[in-house]
Protein backbone atom coordinates (compact mmCIF):
# COMPACT_ATOMS: atom_id res chain seq x y z
CA UNK A 1 0.00 0.00 0.00
CA UNK A 2 2.92 2.31 0.75
CA UNK A 3 4.33 1.71 -2.76
CA UNK A 4 0.93 2.39 -4.27
CA UNK A 5 0.72 5.74 -2.46
CA UNK A 6 4.23 6.65 -3.61
CA UNK A 7 3.31 5.76 -7.19
CA UNK A 8 0.16 7.88 -7.06
CA UNK A 9 2.10 10.85 -5.70
CA UNK A 10 4.73 10.38 -8.39
CA UNK A 11 2.08 10.22 -11.14
CA UNK A 12 0.39 13.39 -9.85
CA UNK A 13 3.74 15.18 -9.74
CA UNK A 14 4.68 13.98 -13.25
CA UNK A 15 1.24 14.91 -14.60
CA UNK A 16 1.56 18.47 -13.27
CA UNK A 17 5.03 18.83 -14.70
CA UNK A 18 3.98 17.53 -18.12
CA UNK A 19 1.03 19.93 -18.19
CA UNK A 20 3.37 22.82 -17.38
CA UNK A 21 5.67 21.73 -20.19
CA UNK A 22 2.81 21.32 -22.64
CA UNK A 23 3.40 17.57 -22.82
CA UNK A 24 5.98 17.94 -25.58
CA UNK A 25 8.96 15.64 -25.02
CA UNK A 26 10.94 17.43 -27.68
CA UNK A 27 10.79 20.71 -25.77
CA UNK A 28 13.07 19.33 -23.04
CA UNK A 29 16.70 20.31 -23.41
CA UNK A 30 19.17 17.43 -23.04
CA UNK A 31 20.40 18.77 -19.71
CA UNK A 32 16.84 18.89 -18.31
CA UNK A 33 15.88 15.36 -19.33
CA UNK A 34 14.81 13.10 -16.46
CA UNK A 35 16.85 9.92 -16.08
CA UNK A 36 16.04 6.30 -15.36
CA UNK A 37 17.89 3.03 -14.78
CA UNK A 38 18.05 0.61 -17.69
CA UNK A 39 19.95 -2.52 -18.70
CA UNK A 40 22.15 -1.49 -21.62
CA UNK A 41 23.81 -3.89 -24.09
CA UNK A 42 26.92 -2.03 -25.22
CA UNK A 43 27.84 -4.49 -28.00
CA UNK A 44 26.92 -8.03 -29.05
CA UNK A 45 28.78 -10.70 -27.15
CA UNK A 46 29.15 -12.07 -23.64
CA UNK A 47 27.64 -11.19 -20.30
CA UNK A 48 30.20 -8.41 -19.83
CA UNK A 49 28.40 -6.39 -22.51
CA UNK A 50 25.47 -5.83 -20.12
CA UNK A 51 25.45 -2.94 -17.65
CA UNK A 52 22.79 -1.10 -15.67
CA UNK A 53 23.17 2.55 -16.72
CA UNK A 54 21.31 5.83 -16.48
CA UNK A 55 19.41 6.84 -19.62
CA UNK A 56 17.13 9.70 -20.55
CA UNK A 57 13.54 8.85 -19.70
CA UNK A 58 11.32 8.41 -22.80
CA UNK A 59 8.11 10.36 -23.29
CA UNK A 60 5.07 8.98 -25.15
CA UNK A 61 4.57 9.88 -28.79
CA UNK A 62 1.16 9.92 -30.47
CA UNK A 63 -0.64 6.63 -29.89
CA UNK A 64 1.76 5.51 -27.16
CA UNK A 65 1.51 4.82 -23.44
CA UNK A 66 4.24 5.63 -20.92
CA UNK A 67 4.56 2.82 -18.37
CA UNK A 68 6.35 2.90 -15.03
CA UNK A 69 7.79 -0.63 -15.15
CA UNK A 70 7.44 -2.99 -12.19
CA UNK A 71 8.63 -6.27 -13.76
CA UNK A 72 10.15 -7.49 -17.03
CA UNK A 73 10.11 -10.91 -18.67
CA UNK A 74 13.39 -12.63 -19.56
CA UNK A 75 13.27 -15.04 -22.51
CA UNK A 76 15.73 -17.22 -24.40
CA UNK A 77 15.42 -14.86 -27.37
CA UNK A 78 16.98 -12.17 -25.16
CA UNK A 79 20.06 -14.34 -24.79
CA UNK A 80 20.24 -14.72 -28.58
CA UNK A 81 19.84 -10.95 -29.00
CA UNK A 82 22.73 -10.39 -26.60
CA UNK A 83 24.93 -12.57 -28.79
CA UNK A 84 23.71 -10.96 -32.02
CA UNK A 85 22.47 -14.43 -32.93
CA UNK A 86 19.28 -13.22 -34.66
CA UNK A 87 18.30 -12.14 -38.14
CA UNK A 88 19.01 -8.43 -38.83
CA UNK A 89 19.97 -7.46 -35.27
CA UNK A 90 19.56 -3.77 -34.38
CA UNK A 91 22.53 -1.50 -33.75
CA UNK A 92 24.09 -1.32 -30.31
CA UNK A 93 24.03 0.14 -27.74
CA UNK A 94 20.46 -0.92 -27.02
CA UNK A 95 18.17 -1.76 -24.12
CA UNK A 96 17.00 -5.41 -24.45
CA UNK A 97 13.65 -6.88 -23.48
CA UNK A 98 10.31 -7.42 -25.20
CA UNK A 99 7.70 -7.59 -22.42
CA UNK A 100 6.97 -5.89 -19.14
CA UNK A 101 4.28 -4.98 -16.64
CA UNK A 102 3.69 -1.79 -14.69
CA UNK A 103 1.51 1.27 -14.18
CA UNK A 104 0.39 3.74 -16.85
CA UNK A 105 2.10 7.04 -16.08
CA UNK A 106 1.23 9.18 -19.11
CA UNK A 107 -0.86 9.01 -22.30
CA UNK A 108 0.23 10.13 -25.74
CA UNK A 109 -2.15 11.98 -28.03
CA UNK A 110 -5.15 10.03 -29.40
CA UNK A 111 -4.78 7.20 -26.84
CA UNK A 112 -8.13 5.79 -25.76
CA UNK A 113 -9.20 2.98 -23.43
CA UNK A 114 -6.54 3.56 -20.76
CA UNK A 115 -6.16 5.95 -17.84
CA UNK A 116 -3.20 7.07 -15.76
CA UNK A 117 -2.79 4.58 -12.91
CA UNK A 118 -4.00 1.51 -14.87
CA UNK A 119 -2.11 -1.72 -14.16
CA UNK A 120 -0.94 -3.11 -17.50
CA UNK A 121 1.30 -5.59 -19.28
CA UNK A 122 2.81 -4.85 -22.67
CA UNK A 123 4.92 -5.99 -25.58
CA UNK A 124 7.81 -3.65 -26.36
CA UNK A 125 10.01 -3.66 -29.47
CA UNK A 126 13.20 -3.69 -27.35
CA UNK A 127 13.72 -1.27 -24.40
CA UNK A 128 11.64 -3.28 -21.89
CA UNK A 129 14.41 -3.72 -19.29
CA UNK A 130 14.15 -0.22 -17.88
CA UNK A 131 12.30 1.72 -15.20
CA UNK A 132 10.11 3.43 -17.81
CA UNK A 133 9.01 2.36 -21.31
CA UNK A 134 6.82 3.80 -24.04
CA UNK A 135 4.98 1.51 -26.43
CA UNK A 136 2.03 1.78 -28.87
CA UNK A 137 -1.37 1.31 -27.25
CA UNK A 138 -2.15 -1.73 -29.45
CA UNK A 139 0.54 -3.72 -27.59
CA UNK A 140 -0.78 -2.92 -24.10
CA UNK A 141 -3.31 -4.96 -22.09
CA UNK A 142 -4.93 -4.38 -18.71
CA UNK A 143 -3.97 -6.76 -15.90
CA UNK A 144 -6.67 -8.67 -13.98
CA UNK A 145 -7.05 -7.45 -10.38
CA UNK A 146 -5.68 -10.64 -8.84
CA UNK A 147 -2.66 -10.95 -11.19
CA UNK A 148 0.65 -9.76 -9.71
CA UNK A 149 3.12 -7.66 -11.68
CA UNK A 150 5.59 -10.57 -11.82
CA UNK A 151 2.88 -12.91 -13.16
CA UNK A 152 1.88 -10.25 -15.69
CA UNK A 153 5.47 -9.95 -16.94
CA UNK A 154 5.54 -13.75 -17.34
CA UNK A 155 2.28 -13.87 -19.28
CA UNK A 156 2.40 -12.23 -22.77
CA UNK A 157 5.28 -13.89 -24.65
CA UNK A 158 4.85 -17.39 -23.29
CA UNK A 159 1.08 -17.77 -23.36
CA UNK A 160 0.43 -15.95 -26.63
CA UNK A 161 3.15 -18.03 -28.32
CA UNK A 162 1.79 -21.28 -26.90
CA UNK A 163 -1.84 -20.44 -27.70
CA UNK A 164 -1.23 -19.32 -31.28
CA UNK A 165 0.90 -22.35 -32.11
CA UNK A 166 -1.60 -24.80 -30.63
CA UNK A 167 -4.86 -23.25 -31.80
CA UNK A 168 -4.14 -20.81 -34.65
CA UNK A 169 -1.48 -22.86 -36.48
CA UNK A 170 -1.97 -26.50 -35.46
CA UNK A 171 -5.73 -26.48 -34.68
CA UNK A 172 -5.49 -28.51 -31.46
CA UNK A 173 -8.61 -30.56 -30.80
CA UNK A 174 -9.89 -33.20 -28.41
CA UNK A 175 -7.93 -36.46 -28.35
CA UNK A 176 -4.78 -35.12 -30.06
CA UNK A 177 -1.16 -35.60 -28.97
CA UNK A 178 1.51 -32.90 -28.58
CA UNK A 179 5.29 -33.12 -28.20
CA UNK A 180 6.94 -30.06 -26.66
CA UNK A 181 10.66 -29.57 -26.00
CA UNK A 182 11.97 -27.66 -22.97
CA UNK A 183 8.78 -28.63 -21.12
CA UNK A 184 10.03 -26.98 -17.94
CA UNK A 185 10.51 -23.55 -19.53
CA UNK A 186 8.02 -20.70 -19.77
CA UNK A 187 6.53 -21.71 -23.14
CA UNK A 188 6.64 -25.41 -22.25
CA UNK A 189 4.63 -24.86 -19.08
CA UNK A 190 2.17 -22.61 -20.95
CA UNK A 191 1.71 -25.33 -23.60
CA UNK A 192 1.04 -27.95 -20.92
CA UNK A 193 -1.56 -25.75 -19.20
CA UNK A 194 -3.36 -24.86 -22.44
CA UNK A 195 -3.43 -28.53 -23.50
CA UNK A 196 -5.14 -29.34 -20.21
CA UNK A 197 -8.08 -27.09 -21.23
CA UNK A 198 -8.92 -29.53 -24.08
CA UNK A 199 -10.22 -33.03 -23.22
CA UNK A 200 -7.99 -36.08 -23.66
CA UNK A 201 -4.89 -34.33 -25.03
CA UNK A 202 -1.70 -36.34 -24.49
CA UNK A 203 1.39 -34.21 -23.86
CA UNK A 204 4.88 -35.60 -24.42
CA UNK A 205 7.64 -33.41 -23.00
CA UNK A 206 11.43 -33.36 -22.95
CA UNK A 207 13.36 -31.63 -20.15
CA UNK A 208 16.57 -31.89 -18.17
CA UNK A 209 16.31 -34.79 -15.72
CA UNK A 210 16.67 -32.59 -12.60
CA UNK A 211 13.39 -30.84 -13.54
CA UNK A 212 11.34 -34.01 -13.85
CA UNK A 213 10.13 -34.19 -10.27
CA UNK A 214 8.90 -30.59 -10.34
CA UNK A 215 7.03 -30.78 -13.67
CA UNK A 216 5.99 -34.44 -13.88
CA UNK A 217 2.34 -33.63 -13.16
CA UNK A 218 2.08 -31.03 -15.94
CA UNK A 219 2.68 -33.46 -18.83
CA UNK A 220 1.53 -36.98 -19.61
CA UNK A 221 4.91 -38.47 -20.57
CA UNK A 222 8.27 -36.91 -19.69
CA UNK A 223 11.66 -37.76 -21.19
CA UNK A 224 15.24 -36.71 -20.53
CA UNK A 225 16.24 -34.10 -23.12
CA UNK A 226 19.53 -35.99 -23.73
CA UNK A 227 17.92 -39.41 -24.17
CA UNK A 228 16.57 -41.01 -27.37
CA UNK A 229 13.04 -39.71 -26.95
CA UNK A 230 12.00 -40.74 -30.49
CA UNK A 231 11.98 -44.46 -29.69
CA UNK A 232 10.19 -43.83 -26.39
CA UNK A 233 7.46 -41.80 -28.11
CA UNK A 234 7.03 -44.41 -30.83
CA UNK A 235 6.72 -47.14 -28.19
CA UNK A 236 3.92 -45.26 -26.42
CA UNK A 237 2.20 -43.79 -29.50
CA UNK A 238 2.88 -46.23 -32.33
CA UNK A 239 1.16 -44.13 -35.00
CA UNK A 240 3.02 -40.92 -34.09
CA UNK A 241 2.23 -37.40 -32.83
CA UNK A 242 -0.29 -34.82 -34.05
CA UNK A 243 1.66 -31.66 -33.10
CA UNK A 244 5.41 -31.20 -32.56
CA UNK A 245 6.57 -27.87 -31.06
CA UNK A 246 10.32 -27.42 -31.56
CA UNK A 247 12.36 -24.63 -29.95
CA UNK A 248 15.66 -26.47 -30.34
CA UNK A 249 16.16 -26.89 -34.11
CA UNK A 250 19.19 -28.80 -35.43
CA UNK A 251 18.83 -32.57 -35.41
CA UNK A 252 15.50 -32.31 -33.56
CA UNK A 253 13.86 -31.03 -36.75
CA UNK A 254 14.28 -34.36 -38.52
CA UNK A 255 13.26 -36.26 -35.40
CA UNK A 256 10.12 -34.16 -35.04
CA UNK A 257 9.10 -34.64 -38.68
CA UNK A 258 9.67 -38.39 -38.39
CA UNK A 259 7.26 -38.55 -35.44
CA UNK A 260 4.37 -36.78 -37.19
CA UNK A 261 1.18 -38.61 -38.00
CA UNK A 262 -0.41 -38.04 -41.42
CA UNK A 263 -1.97 -34.54 -41.26
CA UNK A 264 0.31 -33.79 -38.29
CA UNK A 265 1.92 -30.36 -37.84
CA UNK A 266 5.54 -29.59 -36.98
CA UNK A 267 6.17 -26.00 -35.77
CA UNK A 268 9.62 -24.46 -35.36
CA UNK A 269 9.55 -21.50 -32.98
CA UNK A 270 13.15 -21.23 -31.82
CA UNK A 271 16.70 -22.44 -32.34
CA UNK A 272 18.26 -22.64 -28.89
CA UNK A 273 20.66 -25.41 -29.98
CA UNK A 274 22.58 -22.72 -31.87
CA UNK A 275 23.53 -21.18 -28.51
CA UNK A 276 26.35 -23.27 -27.10
CA UNK A 277 28.67 -20.78 -25.38
CA UNK A 278 29.18 -17.27 -24.13
CA UNK A 279 29.23 -15.59 -27.53
CA UNK A 280 27.89 -16.27 -31.00
CA UNK A 281 29.51 -19.38 -32.47
CA UNK A 282 29.60 -19.75 -36.22
CA UNK A 283 30.57 -23.40 -35.70
CA UNK A 284 27.44 -24.21 -33.68
CA UNK A 285 25.34 -22.21 -36.16
CA UNK A 286 26.76 -24.18 -39.09
CA UNK A 287 26.38 -27.48 -37.22
CA UNK A 288 22.72 -26.79 -36.44
CA UNK A 289 22.12 -25.65 -40.01
CA UNK A 290 23.52 -28.87 -41.48
CA UNK A 291 21.68 -31.02 -38.95
CA UNK A 292 18.34 -29.59 -40.01
CA UNK A 293 16.32 -31.97 -42.13
CA UNK A 294 16.23 -30.71 -45.71
CA UNK A 295 12.50 -30.69 -46.43
CA UNK A 296 11.29 -31.69 -49.87
CA UNK A 297 7.78 -30.36 -50.61
CA UNK A 298 7.01 -33.47 -52.65
CA UNK A 299 7.82 -35.62 -49.63
CA UNK A 300 5.45 -33.50 -47.52
CA UNK A 301 2.79 -34.03 -50.16
CA UNK A 302 3.31 -37.78 -50.21
CA UNK A 303 3.34 -38.11 -46.42
CA UNK A 304 0.51 -35.64 -45.71
CA UNK A 305 2.58 -33.61 -43.25
CA UNK A 306 2.55 -29.91 -42.37
CA UNK A 307 5.68 -27.92 -41.50
CA UNK A 308 5.34 -24.40 -40.09
CA UNK A 309 7.26 -21.65 -38.34
CA UNK A 310 6.16 -19.18 -35.69
CA UNK A 311 7.74 -15.94 -34.46
CA UNK A 312 5.55 -13.82 -32.20
CA UNK A 313 7.90 -10.82 -32.34
CA UNK A 314 7.87 -10.77 -36.14
CA UNK A 315 4.09 -11.16 -36.12
CA UNK A 316 3.75 -8.13 -33.84
CA UNK A 317 6.46 -5.75 -34.98
CA UNK A 318 7.16 -6.63 -38.63
CA UNK A 319 3.87 -8.07 -39.90
CA UNK A 320 1.48 -5.73 -38.06
CA UNK A 321 -0.78 -8.37 -36.55
CA UNK A 322 -1.32 -6.59 -33.24
CA UNK A 323 -5.09 -6.85 -33.63
CA UNK A 324 -4.92 -10.63 -34.02
CA UNK A 325 -2.69 -10.91 -30.95
CA UNK A 326 -5.10 -8.72 -28.93
CA UNK A 327 -7.93 -11.17 -29.72
CA UNK A 328 -5.74 -14.03 -28.49
CA UNK A 329 -4.87 -12.10 -25.33
CA UNK A 330 -8.58 -11.58 -24.60
CA UNK A 331 -9.13 -15.34 -24.79
CA UNK A 332 -6.11 -16.01 -22.57
CA UNK A 333 -7.26 -13.53 -19.93
CA UNK A 334 -10.66 -15.24 -19.88
CA UNK A 335 -8.86 -18.54 -19.23
CA UNK A 336 -6.80 -16.89 -16.46
CA UNK A 337 -9.89 -15.38 -14.84
CA UNK A 338 -11.50 -18.83 -14.99
CA UNK A 339 -8.44 -20.16 -13.12
CA UNK A 340 -7.61 -22.57 -15.96
CA UNK A 341 -4.13 -21.15 -16.60
CA UNK A 342 -1.57 -19.38 -14.40
CA UNK A 343 1.96 -18.18 -15.24
CA UNK A 344 4.76 -20.14 -13.58
CA UNK A 345 7.40 -17.74 -12.20
CA UNK A 346 10.78 -19.37 -11.60
CA UNK A 347 12.55 -16.54 -9.78
CA UNK A 348 12.83 -12.76 -9.36
CA UNK A 349 16.04 -10.84 -10.09
CA UNK A 350 17.10 -7.22 -9.69
CA UNK A 351 18.13 -5.31 -12.83
CA UNK A 352 21.72 -5.47 -11.55
CA UNK A 353 21.45 -9.29 -11.47
CA UNK A 354 20.61 -9.63 -15.16
CA UNK A 355 23.87 -11.47 -15.88
CA UNK A 356 23.13 -14.15 -13.29
CA UNK A 357 19.57 -14.45 -14.57
CA UNK A 358 20.80 -14.91 -18.14
CA UNK A 359 23.27 -17.54 -16.96
CA UNK A 360 20.38 -19.47 -15.38
CA UNK A 361 18.53 -19.46 -18.70
CA UNK A 362 21.68 -20.48 -20.58
CA UNK A 363 22.17 -23.40 -18.20
CA UNK A 364 18.47 -24.27 -18.63
CA UNK A 365 18.09 -24.21 -14.87
CA UNK A 366 14.72 -22.46 -14.78
CA UNK A 367 11.29 -23.98 -14.27
CA UNK A 368 8.92 -21.38 -15.67
CA UNK A 369 9.76 -17.73 -16.24
CA UNK A 370 12.61 -15.58 -14.95
CA UNK A 371 11.54 -12.06 -14.02
CA UNK A 372 13.54 -8.86 -13.62
CA UNK A 373 11.93 -7.06 -10.67
CA UNK A 374 12.69 -3.36 -11.14
CA UNK A 375 12.09 -2.53 -7.46
CA UNK A 376 14.12 -5.45 -6.09
CA UNK A 377 17.41 -4.61 -4.40
CA UNK A 378 20.30 -6.73 -5.72
CA UNK A 379 21.83 -9.42 -3.53
CA UNK A 380 25.17 -7.93 -2.38
CA UNK A 381 27.35 -10.64 -3.93
CA UNK A 382 25.52 -10.40 -7.26
CA UNK A 383 25.72 -6.63 -7.36
CA UNK A 384 29.49 -6.79 -7.96
CA UNK A 385 29.66 -5.62 -11.55
CA UNK A 386 33.40 -5.90 -12.19
CA UNK A 387 34.80 -9.26 -13.30
CA UNK A 388 32.34 -12.00 -14.18
CA UNK A 389 32.87 -15.64 -15.04
CA UNK A 390 31.42 -16.46 -18.43
CA UNK A 391 29.42 -19.46 -19.60
CA UNK A 392 32.57 -20.54 -21.44
CA UNK A 393 34.54 -20.42 -18.18
CA UNK A 394 36.63 -17.40 -19.10
CA UNK A 395 37.01 -14.08 -17.34
CA UNK A 396 34.97 -11.34 -18.89
CA UNK A 397 36.69 -8.14 -17.79
CA UNK A 398 35.73 -5.60 -20.42
CA UNK A 399 38.31 -3.02 -21.47
CA UNK A 400 37.96 0.26 -23.26
CA UNK A 401 38.54 -0.22 -26.95
CA UNK A 402 37.61 -3.90 -27.05
CA UNK A 403 34.57 -3.20 -29.20
CA UNK A 404 36.62 -1.38 -31.82
CA UNK A 405 39.22 -4.16 -31.84
CA UNK A 406 36.56 -6.79 -32.34
Amino acid sequence: SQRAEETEQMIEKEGGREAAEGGAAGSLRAGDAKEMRAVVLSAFGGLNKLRVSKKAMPEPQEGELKIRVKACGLNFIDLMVRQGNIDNPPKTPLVPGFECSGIVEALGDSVKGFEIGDRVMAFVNYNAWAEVVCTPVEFVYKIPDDMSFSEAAAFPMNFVTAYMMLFEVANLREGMSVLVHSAGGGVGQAVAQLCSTIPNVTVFGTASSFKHEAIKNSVTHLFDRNADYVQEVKRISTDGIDIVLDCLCGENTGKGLSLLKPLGTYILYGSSNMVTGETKSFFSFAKSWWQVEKVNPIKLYEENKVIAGFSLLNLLFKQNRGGLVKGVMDKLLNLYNSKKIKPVVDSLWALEEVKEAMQRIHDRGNIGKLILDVEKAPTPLMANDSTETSEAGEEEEDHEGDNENK
Side-chain angles (χ1 to χ4, degrees):
S1 61
Q2 186 178 353
R3 282 182 183 169
E5 288 174 11
E6 289 173 1
T7 302
E8 287 173 9
Q9 291 170 4
M10 176 192 68
I11 289 170
E12 288 173 9
K13 190 185 298 180
E14 294 296 329
R17 191 176 298 172
E18 282 177 11
E21 292 167 353
S27 66
L28 289 174
R29 295 191 305 275
D32 297 333
K34 299 181 289 292
E35 288 188 325
M36 64 174 182
R37 289 158 57 238
V39 176
V40 176
L41 179 68
S42 59
F44 297 119
L47 293 171
N48 65 312
K49 305 302 181 187
L50 291 166
R51 289 284 185 275
V52 175
S53 304
K54 289 290 181 70
K55 285 184 64 69
M57 190 180 296
E59 296 298 336
Q61 305 301 308
E62 183 174 356
E64 290 186 342
L65 288 174
K66 179 181 178 182
I67 301 169
R68 175 65 60 169
V69 177
K70 297 292 186 178
C72 320
L74 207 158
N75 301 284
F76 202 91
I77 185 69
D78 297 312
L79 195 152
M80 298 182 72
V81 166
R82 192 199 77 213
Q83 294 188 353
N85 211 349
I86 57 172
D87 188 37
N88 295 320
K91 292 181 180 179
T92 54
L94 62 86
V95 176
F98 298 103
E99 62 182 339
C100 65
S101 62
I103 297 172
V104 175
E105 191 170 280
L107 309 174
D109 292 340
S110 74
V111 169
K112 296 178 181 177
F114 291 90
E115 296 178 357
I116 291 174
D118 281 347
R119 300 169 72 249
V120 296
M121 53 187 162
F123 290 108
V124 189
N125 194 8
Y126 294 96
N127 299 307
W129 295 354
E131 290 182 314
V132 174
V133 301
C134 292
T135 193
V137 65
E138 65 175 318
F139 303 138
V140 183
Y141 318 93
K142 291 181 181 177
I143 300 174
D145 291 339
D146 59 344
M147 182 184 280
S148 69
F149 284 118
S150 57
E151 283 183 330
F155 196 82
M157 285 276 285
N158 292 164
F159 275 95
V160 172
T161 295
Y163 187 97
M164 295 194 79
M165 288 194 300
L166 289 171
F167 297 106
E168 300 283 340
V169 181
N171 195 20
L172 177 66
R173 300 182 302 282
E174 181 176 352
M176 281 188 164
S177 55
V178 178
L179 168 65
V180 59
H181 294 298
S182 299
V187 174
Q189 287 293 289
V191 165
Q193 290 185 28
L194 289 169
C195 286
S196 70
T197 67
I198 305 297
N200 303 319
V201 171
T202 303
V203 181
F204 297 84
T206 70
S208 301
S209 55
F210 69 88
K211 298 183 182 181
H212 286 202
E213 184 63 29
I215 66 172
K216 64 182 181 181
N217 295 328
S218 64
V219 299
T220 318
H221 304 285
L222 191 56
F223 311 113
D224 189 326
R225 68 186 297 268
N226 297 312
D228 183 7
Y229 61 87
V230 173
Q231 295 308 316
E232 288 295 309
V233 171
K234 286 182 176 178
R235 183 178 59 80
I236 297 167
S237 181
T238 53
D239 55 345
I241 302 286
D242 292 295
I243 301 168
V244 174
L245 306 177
D246 181 11
C247 61
L248 304 177
C249 198
E251 62 182 352
N252 292 282
T253 303
K255 292 178 179 179
L257 285 169
S258 72
L259 284 171
L260 280 186
K261 290 180 182 179
L263 301 183
T265 302
Y266 162 93
I267 305 174
L268 180 71
Y269 70 100
S271 52
S272 63
N273 275 345
M274 293 185 184
V275 176
T276 55
E278 168 69 14
T279 56
K280 181 177 180 179
S281 167
F282 289 101
F283 174 76
S284 62
F285 181 87
K287 180 183 176 184
S288 292
W289 177 261
W290 286 109
Q291 284 178 333
V292 171
E293 181 89 357
K294 304 304 181 286
V295 179
N296 184 334
I298 295 176
K299 189 177 179 183
L300 292 177
Y301 153 74
E302 291 172 345
E303 295 181 354
N304 278 304
K305 292 182 178 180
V306 179
I307 185 166
F310 184 80
S311 165
L312 177 56
L313 295 177
N314 284 349
L315 197 70
L316 281 168
F317 302 125
K318 292 184 179 178
Q319 295 155 355
N320 303 315
R321 294 297 189 273
L324 174 62
V325 172
K326 186 176 188 319
V328 169
M329 185 63 83
D330 289 341
K331 295 173 184 175
L332 286 167
L333 289 174
N334 284 335
L335 288 172
Y336 176 86
N337 290 328
S338 304
K339 303 206 177 332
K340 293 182 179 178
I341 60 174
K342 184 179 177 63
V344 178
V345 175
D346 174 80
S347 48
L348 303 179
W349 305 76
L351 289 182
E352 291 79 5
E353 297 167 346
V354 64
K355 298 177 185 179
E356 290 77 13
M358 272 203 166
Q359 184 70 57
R360 184 168 173 81
I361 284 190
H362 181 278
D363 296 340
R364 292 170 172 80
N366 57 302
I367 297 174
K369 189 67 162 270
L370 275 77
I371 299 297
L372 294 179
D373 184 339
V374 175
E375 295 178 341
K376 183 179 184 295
T379 305
L381 285 174
M382 291 186 178
N384 182 3
D385 209 20
S386 54
T387 304
E388 299 287 342
T389 301
S390 74
E391 293 134 333
E394 300 171 351
E395 280 198 340
E396 288 194 323
E397 185 71 47
D398 197 13
H399 298 286
E400 292 295 329
D402 274 5
N403 295 342
E404 288 76 14
N405 294 337
K406 288 179 182 177

